[in-house]
Amino acid sequence: MKSRPYELVRAGLLAQAFGAATVLVADAVTFLVSAICLNRISVFEPDRALDDERASLRRQISEGLRFVDQDRHLRPMVAWGAMTSMALMGYQGVQVVFLIRTVKLNPAMSGCC
């Protein structure tokens, strides 16, 4: 999803006002708050299977991994998706810090790149 220009400028202004590392920590805290709020949502969902018939989570995960591992087309797509996702998240996590500290970009404009 592409960010809107005003969101990028706002991120740059926050980085200039509070420092890039502080803004990154604040962003991580918002993800934590979101996870806590989602965890507190209580919805009644009937069991799909009886407890003795349902496989454990470990068994379900291992079945899924075996399924992916056995499919010659699915295996490289899943591996590529996982690797690119981790690489992009790492890149995006340090981009603002790099732009401000190394490139010496104005912190207010660092969100526009």
Side-chain angles (χ1 to χ4, degrees), residues 43-69:
V43 176
F44 174 74
E45 294 183 14
D47 288 337
R48 291 180 286 174
L50 297 175
D51 287 338
D52 54 349
E53 295 175 4
R54 188 178 353 186
S56 69
L57 181 60
R58 286 183 190 214
R59 173 174 248 162
Q60 292 177 11
I61 291 172
S62 54
E63 286 175 8
L65 290 173
R66 274 194 301 276
F67 177 78
V68 170
D69 188 47

Side-chain angles (χ1 to χ4, degrees), residues 1-66:
M1 180 170 42
K2 198 102 164 114
S3 295
R4 295 181 193 102
Y6 63 87
E7 291 173 344
L8 297 175
V9 171
R10 183 174 40 199
L13 292 173
L14 287 173
Q16 185 176 15
F18 301 106
T22 304
V23 173
L24 289 174
V25 170
D27 188 36
V29 169
T30 62
F31 278 96
L32 180 63
V33 169
S34 176
I36 291 170
C37 290
L38 287 172
N39 191 35
R40 293 185 47 91
I41 295 174
S42 60
V43 176
F44 174 74
E45 294 183 14
D47 288 337
R48 291 180 286 174
L50 297 175
D51 287 338
D52 54 349
E53 295 175 4
R54 188 178 353 186
S56 69
L57 181 60
R58 286 183 190 214
R59 173 174 248 162
Q60 292 177 11
I61 291 172
S62 54
E63 286 175 8
L65 290 173
R66 274 194 301 276

